[in-house]
Amino acid sequence: MVSVDDYGDFETAWCPGCGNHSILKAVKKALASMGLEPHESIFVSGIGQAAKSPHYLKANVFNGLHGRALPAATGIKLANPRANVIVQSGDGCNYGEGGNHFLAAIRRNIGLTLLAHDNQIYGLTKGQASPTTTQGHATKAQPGGNPSAPFNPVAVAVTMQANFVARGFSGMIDHLADLIVQAINHPGFSLIDIMQPCVTFNKVNTFAWYKERCYEPQGHDPEDWEQAIRLANQWGDRIPVGVIYRGTRPAFEQTLPHPTNDLLYKNRPARDVLKEIMNVYS
């Protein structure tokens, strides 16, 4: 029987009170509840405090460039369609440097689970405004207030009909673990935008700020796209958490001309056929 202890217990570089601690607990709880052994998952991340999360898990890990976790994860998934591939990075890494890759992953509907740690700030690089920072929010780099409108990743994902879109909160560990299980089990691309405090560089969107606003909507049908659009755009005094949208598009890897569930390295080319083709051009 798999337990959370199988995923290890490591010393972290995070501040006490950082939301990353709770997200890590939720990830371990979700994987253990699914009976997934550590070697059955591959975690991929970019750069940032959130991107360190896979370092503190006993699992397969690929740590890549800033904003480039999704392309690497896509290659891994196509090479090994049986793998449970999870991408973990922050709002800056995923929606800033990796913004175009985020859109491409939704469009392709590749079978990945993206856990976006969203603390509305760049934490590793000392508190600049990120794509999700509220307009007017004063930071070290923007002392007069962030002049740009915030990016709403949940609304964008629902608009593009990503196959699974959810919003979580690091202060609701059991709820978040359940969302992660649902995201992994759903075919195609899954996004969970996870709100979390940055206790050092974001003094506005604190744990108490999120706690006061987060609520679980009753009677919401995640398969109703128009309902999902309205819910995705709700932000302010009340912020809905849970599954916002659930689609039915087939996963990218199943729509290829020759879909396969085999490992890529086992797909040896037919050398006689290859030789015939090469002879045509010789």
Side-chain angles (χ1 to χ4, degrees):
M1 182 177 177
V2 182
S3 76
V4 295
D5 294 335
D6 295 326
Y7 287 90
D9 184 16
F10 301 90
E11 182 179 353
T12 75
W14 297 326
C15 303
C18 173
N20 286 329
H21 294 286
S22 300
I23 296 172
L24 182 61
K25 288 180 183 176
V27 169
K28 289 180 181 179
K29 185 170 185 176
L31 297 177
S33 72
M34 297 176 73
L36 285 168
E37 300 278 356
H39 72 272
E40 294 179 290
S41 296
I42 302 174
F43 285 82
V44 187
S45 63
I47 299 295
Q49 293 291 0
K52 294 177 182 175
S53 297
H55 302 182
Y56 309 131
L57 278 171
K58 191 183 290 182
N60 299 296
V61 174
F62 182 91
N63 198 192
L65 300 174
H66 207 359
R68 306 297 184 258
L70 282 169
T74 297
I76 292 169
K77 184 65 179 180
L78 294 179
N80 185 358
R82 300 177 199 170
N84 175 38
V85 184
I86 298 174
V87 175
Q88 270 190 293
S89 274
D91 44 296
C93 190
N94 283 302
Y95 307 139
E97 287 80 1
N100 186 49
H101 299 304
F102 174 64
L103 300 179
I106 295 174
R107 180 170 55 83
R108 293 186 180 117
N109 198 31
I110 188 77
L112 309 171
T113 299
L114 170 59
L115 306 181
H117 299 219
D118 191 350
N119 57 13
Q120 301 180 249
I121 205 81
Y122 277 101
L124 183 69
T125 47
K126 314 305 181 192
Q128 301 94 334
S130 83
T132 58
T133 302
T134 306
Q135 193 169 24
H137 181 158
T139 72
K140 282 190 171 184
Q142 292 88 18
N146 174 32
S148 303
F151 179 69
N152 183 336
V154 174
V156 169
V158 173
T159 300
M160 293 181 67
Q161 300 190 345
N163 248 24
F164 183 95
V165 185
R167 183 185 280 129
F169 171 42
S170 64
M172 302 166 66
I173 296 177
D174 290 343
H175 181 262
L176 179 58
D178 178 64
L179 288 180
I180 294 171
V181 171
Q182 292 187 60
I184 292 173
N185 284 331
H186 199 78
F189 180 78
S190 297
L191 164 70
I192 305 179
D193 186 73
I194 307 169
M195 296 176 294
Q196 63 159 113
C198 174
V199 294
T200 302
F201 296 110
N202 188 341
K203 304 298 185 184
V204 176
N205 309 111
T206 63
F207 181 90
W209 189 92
Y210 289 121
K211 186 76 174 176
E212 181 183 338
R213 289 164 173 77
C214 290
Y215 79 99
E216 295 180 65
Q218 302 299 310
H220 172 60
D221 178 6
E223 296 177 7
D224 186 324
W225 184 71
E226 292 185 354
Q227 272 192 35
I229 284 285
R230 287 194 291 272
L231 210 58
N233 280 294
Q234 188 175 4
W235 183 268
D237 292 338
R238 285 169 63 77
I239 304 173
V241 295
V243 181
I244 305 295
Y245 179 69
R246 195 160 45 223
T248 57
R249 287 196 291 150
F252 177 78
E253 56 272 26
Q254 297 303 317
T255 63
L256 297 173
H258 303 289
T260 174
N261 197 38
D262 291 336
L263 304 180
L264 190 62
Y265 73 87
K266 290 186 176 179
N267 288 335
R268 300 294 184 189
R271 294 190 176 278
D272 53 340
V273 175
L274 187 61
K275 187 175 181 180
E276 288 180 17
I277 294 172
M278 295 300 290
N279 286 338
V280 171
Y281 298 99
S282 62

